[in-house]
């Protein structure tokens, strides 16, 4: 193979290979993986103060995106002591939420970990890139 052909093949391989920072939240979950964290506290899995970035994918609210983003962070702060449930959610976007979800987002943590987040009026669910996940009951709204 010529040098030009080898260079082209190497470039094509670079384009087709996943980037080192790519994360699979859509296909990483296997059957029964939604309750891996049952009984653990939300803060043990995802401390709210470790969230570096929230990427909002869906928000069925009448408020601004800025308020939705604050709302997601507030949910995770207030749910820190909530325990994950022993039940799997119905499937939806990111394979972890309900079709009638209110919020769907991707959460990026300081250490580089990435989580999918979905919440409806009663529950919120998280899924990590390794396929582990779980849902918890939303805490009652508190005045801040």
């Amino acid at each position: 193979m010529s040098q030009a052909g080898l260079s082209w093949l190497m470039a094509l391989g670079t384009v087709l290979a996943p980037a080192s920072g790519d994360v699979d939240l859509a296909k990483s979950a296997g059957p029964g993986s939604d309750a891996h964290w049952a009984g653990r506290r939300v803060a043990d899995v995802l401390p709210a103060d470790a969230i570096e970035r929230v990427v909002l994918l869906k928000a069925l609210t009448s408020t601004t995106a800025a308020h939705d983003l604050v709302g997601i962070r507030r949910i995770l702060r207030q749910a820190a002591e909530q325990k994950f449930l022993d039940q799997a959610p119905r499937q939806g976007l990111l394979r972890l939420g309900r079709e009638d979800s209110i919020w769907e987002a991707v959460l990026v943590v300081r250490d580089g970990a990435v989580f999918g987040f979905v919440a409806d009026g009663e529950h919120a669910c998280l899924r990590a890139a390794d396929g582990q996940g779980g849902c918890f009951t939303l805490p009652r709204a508190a005045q801040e």
Side-chain angles (χ1 to χ4, degrees):
M1 180 175 275
S2 70
Q3 182 65 26
L6 186 57
S7 296
W8 182 84
L9 189 57
M10 288 173 53
L12 181 61
T14 302
V15 171
L16 294 178
S20 62
D22 289 352
V23 175
D24 168 25
L25 292 175
K27 296 182 179 179
S28 62
S33 64
D34 290 316
H36 274 131
W37 299 325
R40 293 180 65 188
R41 296 177 324 126
V42 172
D44 294 337
V45 173
L46 177 63
D49 61 351
I51 298 171
E52 186 77 16
R53 177 172 289 175
V54 176
V55 180
L56 188 62
L57 302 175
K58 176 182 175 181
L60 297 180
T61 64
S62 60
T63 189
T64 65
H67 282 103
D68 286 320
L69 293 165
V70 167
I72 290 170
R73 288 179 183 271
R74 184 182 63 244
I75 286 170
L76 291 165
R77 252 192 343 271
Q78 291 176 347
E81 297 302 316
Q82 292 279 349
K83 291 193 176 184
F84 284 97
L85 305 171
D86 193 20
Q87 65 187 37
R90 291 187 311 225
Q91 298 299 305
L93 185 64
L94 295 178
R95 296 182 49 155
L96 51 83
R98 301 173 191 267
E99 293 174 357
D100 58 346
S101 62
I102 296 171
W103 289 293
E104 297 185 14
V106 173
L107 310 173
V108 181
V109 183
R110 269 186 215 103
D111 68 4
V114 178
F115 293 83
F117 170 87
V118 173
D120 63 17
E122 300 173 21
H123 298 96
C125 301
L126 293 170
R127 175 168 333 281
D130 65 2
Q132 293 190 53
C135 297
F136 56 92
T137 302
L138 287 176
R140 296 258 187 245
Q143 298 295 329
E144 290 195 21

